[in-house]
Amino acid sequence: MLGASLRRLREQRGLTREVAGFHIRASESKISRMELGRVGFKTRDVEDLLTLYGVHDDAERRGLLEMVREANTPGWWHKFGEVLPNWFVTYVGLEEAASVIRTYEVQFVPGLLQTAAYARSVILLGYPDASEDELEQRVHLRMQRQERLTRKDGPRLWAVIDEAALKRPIGGSATMREQLQHLLEVSTLPNITLQVMPLRYGMHAAEGGAFTILRFPESDLSDVVYVEQLWGALYLDKREDIDPYLTAMEQLCVESTTPGGTAEILGELLRET
C-alpha cells in the first residue's frame, strides 16, 4: 500500500519515475519496483521522495513513514518463501490487505474456496515432481489464506465460477463431492457471494480467462487487477487497464446465477457426482 501511495503522490506532482529515481540516486526501474511493492523500502529514500512530492505535513509524513516499517515487516506468508514464487508474494500481500475480492475462475474452483484435498490435486498438476513436504507446505499456505475469510474483519469475497470448472473431475469423485459440498456451505456465509456462469450462455464477457479484482479500504488507493499466467502474473492498477475488467465482472454477475440458482446447480452436480 505504501508503493501505491508513493505513486499517487508522484503523479499528483506530475513527475516521472526517472525524475524521482534521480532524486534518490536510483534508477527509474527502482521507483517502479517500489511503487509495485516488489522491493524493500529504505526510510531515507521515502523521506527524500516525500520532500520531492511536497509532503511537508508532519502527521502525513509520520503516517507514511510508519508504513515503511510495516512494509518491511515480513507477513505470515513469508515463512513459505521456499515454495512461494516471487511473483505470487505480491498477490498474497495485496489479498491480505484487500477489503473486497472479486474473482472469476474458468478452470478451477478459486483458491480461497478450495478444500485441502482439491487444492492438493490442483497443486500436483502444476508441480508433478514436488516432494511430499513441498506439497503439504503449498496446501497449508492455501488453507491459511482462507482463514481471513472467517475473521470478523475479513474481506467480502464475490466469486463467479464457470460451470465447466465445477464439472471438471479434479481429484476424483470423492474429492469433487467434498468440494461441491464445501461450496454449498460457504455460499451461506454473509461475506461470501458465489455465482455460477452457466454453460448455456456460451460466449460471455470474460472469454479472455480468469482474473481477480482487489479493492482496498483506503479510498485513495486504486483497485488492482490480478491476471495469473503459467509462470508469472500481471498486476494492473491504472484506470484505463482496470475499467474493462470491472465492466466484464459486472456483466458476468448479471449473466450468472442468483444465490438460489447457485445452490440449485451445486445440488444437481452433487447428485451427479
Side-chain angles (χ1 to χ4, degrees):
M1 298 306 98
L2 175 59
S5 296
L6 290 174
R7 192 198 69 186
R8 173 179 54 81
L9 291 168
R10 176 181 59 78
E11 291 178 344
Q12 286 176 351
R13 299 288 288 187
L15 300 173
T16 65
R17 291 190 179 98
E18 183 178 7
V19 169
F22 179 80
H23 190 73
I24 63 169
R25 304 158 298 282
S27 64
E28 177 183 358
S29 64
K30 179 176 179 178
I31 297 297
S32 177
R33 292 195 301 273
M34 288 175 68
E35 293 180 352
L36 290 171
R38 297 181 180 176
V39 68
F41 296 90
K42 294 181 179 179
T43 300
R44 185 188 68 178
D45 288 344
V46 176
E47 287 177 336
D48 290 347
L49 287 174
L50 293 179
T51 299
L52 174 66
Y53 300 159
V55 180
H56 303 297
D57 179 77
D58 288 341
E60 186 176 3
R61 287 179 71 94
R62 280 197 304 271
L64 289 164
L65 291 173
E66 175 61 20
M67 291 174 70
V68 174
R69 184 190 66 79
E70 295 174 356
N72 290 331
T73 301
W76 61 262
W77 54 93
H78 285 272
K79 67 183 179 182
F80 296 96
E82 291 185 3
V83 299
L84 193 60
N86 289 334
W87 53 265
F88 196 61
V89 171
T90 300
Y91 175 78
V92 178
L94 291 171
E95 182 183 80
E96 188 74 8
S99 57
V100 180
I101 303 169
R102 304 179 71 183
T103 187
Y104 168 65
E105 279 289 351
V106 65
Q107 185 169 359
F108 303 114
V109 169
L112 288 175
L113 298 176
Q114 292 178 5
T115 63
Y118 184 97
R120 183 182 178 87
S121 297
V122 171
I123 291 166
L124 269 171
L125 288 174
Y127 300 90
D129 299 323
S131 66
E132 186 66 23
D133 180 63
E134 181 181 342
L135 280 173
E136 289 308 312
Q137 286 191 67
R138 292 184 184 279
V139 172
H140 184 49
L141 167 64
R142 194 160 299 185
M143 296 302 102
Q144 195 160 340
R145 284 170 51 207
Q146 297 178 10
E147 291 180 6
R148 188 164 171 256
L149 290 174
T150 58
R151 295 205 297 260
K152 188 175 181 180
D153 62 343
R156 175 177 173 77
L157 174 63
W158 194 329
V160 178
I161 308 176
D162 198 282
E163 186 179 356
L166 301 177
K167 291 187 173 183
R168 186 168 287 110
I170 302 295
S173 296
T175 295
M176 283 307 300
R177 280 197 299 272
E178 181 188 37
Q179 180 62 71
L180 292 168
Q181 184 62 47
H182 178 66
L183 290 176
L184 267 175
E185 293 169 0
V186 298
S187 67
T188 64
L189 295 177
N191 62 319
I192 294 179
T193 299
L194 180 59
Q195 295 182 269
V196 176
M197 168 53 67
L199 287 172
R200 66 176 181 270
Y201 270 96
M203 296 184 65
H204 54 74
E207 285 295 324
F211 63 92
T212 298
I213 304 172
L214 302 166
R215 182 160 292 174
F216 307 96
E218 296 83 2
S219 59
D220 59 338
L221 294 179
S222 68
D223 295 348
V224 173
V225 173
Y226 171 78
V227 183
E228 189 168 315
Q229 300 172 324
L230 188 59
W231 290 111
L234 296 175
Y235 294 89
L236 310 174
D237 60 357
K238 293 183 178 179
R239 177 52 55 190
E240 60 268 27
D241 295 327
I242 295 170
D243 282 347
Y245 286 93
L246 287 171
T247 299
M249 180 60 79
E250 293 297 336
Q251 191 62 37
L252 280 170
C253 292
V254 169
E255 295 175 348
S256 297
T257 59
T258 62
T262 297
E264 184 178 338
I265 285 182
L266 292 174
E268 290 176 358
L269 291 173
L270 266 171
R271 289 188 291 273
E272 295 171 2
T273 302

